[in-house]
Amino acid sequence: MNIYRGCSHGCIYCDSRSRCYHFTHDFEDIEVKQNAPELLEAALRKKRRRCMIGTGSMGDPYVPAEKELCLTRRCLETIERHGFGATVHTKSNLVLRDLDLLERINRKTKAVVQMTLTTADDALCKIIEPGVCPTSRRLEVLAECKDRGIPTVVWLSPILPFINDTQENITGILDGCIRTGVKAIICFGMGLTLREGNREYFYSALEKATAVDSRFSELKDRYTRTFGLSYEATSPHNQTLMSQLSDTCQKNAIQLGTDSIFKWMEEFPENREKPTLFDF
């Protein structure tokens, strides 16, 4: 479920800005599905089999507006009341507000918190993800989830060529994952996707960032020369960094993959405590 359409995080690389998603207004002008809790309630009442319910694939469920609107929280309350499982994908520390619900869901069935991490450098984070809490704060969220017994998955994506595609950065992120007890890491490779709409925004952001950080100097031209209009912009260090990632995950018992992790998150634990008539 996508409760919010659009986002105010301002991440310079966001694929959801791509024109194929047919936004007819500014991406930061967020559309709100105000009747999402009622629609979810009606849908779950009709379900014959319980399952996992996810949110956050196209828009963060914890945009700042959620603090007052509480639509994500109301949906989690409905999920918990009906005995379903939940997985949320966010970059926001606002998810801490709902850990009480996620903890109750996890005791009954399964709850998973997914967090995107792209850089271990908080200063760089503020440039490429300006409207959201820094990486250090997200790691604190992951640590709190660990303390509550809620499994966590990190999206190591995207890694921006010529910006944060370094062994030092990957080491920093992985050290944080190890320290906070992350269960699994999703990584599609070291790079990013650039489609029409997203590409233009990204290149404009690179030019603006030059005034803040010298590592962005002439990066737009370098991207244009290297990748042209390609959909995938893969880091020249992809093989080395993926080997580093794989080795570290194996040594620290962290699951690594894409389809296998999605399959695990989608699996509903039928052997957990089943709700009675009085739970509905």
Side-chain angles (χ1 to χ4, degrees), residues 162-182:
F162 321 128
I163 299 174
N164 60 345
D165 58 338
T166 66
Q167 288 184 297
E168 179 185 14
N169 181 51
I170 301 304
T171 297
I173 294 173
L174 291 176
D175 284 348
C177 291
I178 295 166
R179 188 172 64 252
T180 58
V182 167

Side-chain angles (χ1 to χ4, degrees), residues 151-221:
T152 56
V153 173
V154 160
W155 286 62
L156 189 62
S157 174
I159 299 299
L160 311 180
F162 321 128
I163 299 174
N164 60 345
D165 58 338
T166 66
Q167 288 184 297
E168 179 185 14
N169 181 51
I170 301 304
T171 297
I173 294 173
L174 291 176
D175 284 348
C177 291
I178 295 166
R179 188 172 64 252
T180 58
V182 167
K183 178 181 178 63
I185 292 177
I186 292 173
C187 183
F188 298 95
M190 302 295 170
L192 79 158
T193 57
L194 292 172
R195 289 192 275 202
E196 186 179 5
N198 171 31
R199 183 187 299 110
E200 291 78 5
Y201 186 90
F202 178 67
Y203 285 169
S204 175
L206 292 181
E207 290 183 320
K208 293 176 182 177
T210 301
V212 181
D213 193 315
S214 60
R215 82 186 89 181
F216 288 87
S217 180
E218 300 181 359
L219 267 185
K220 176 187 175 183
D221 292 338

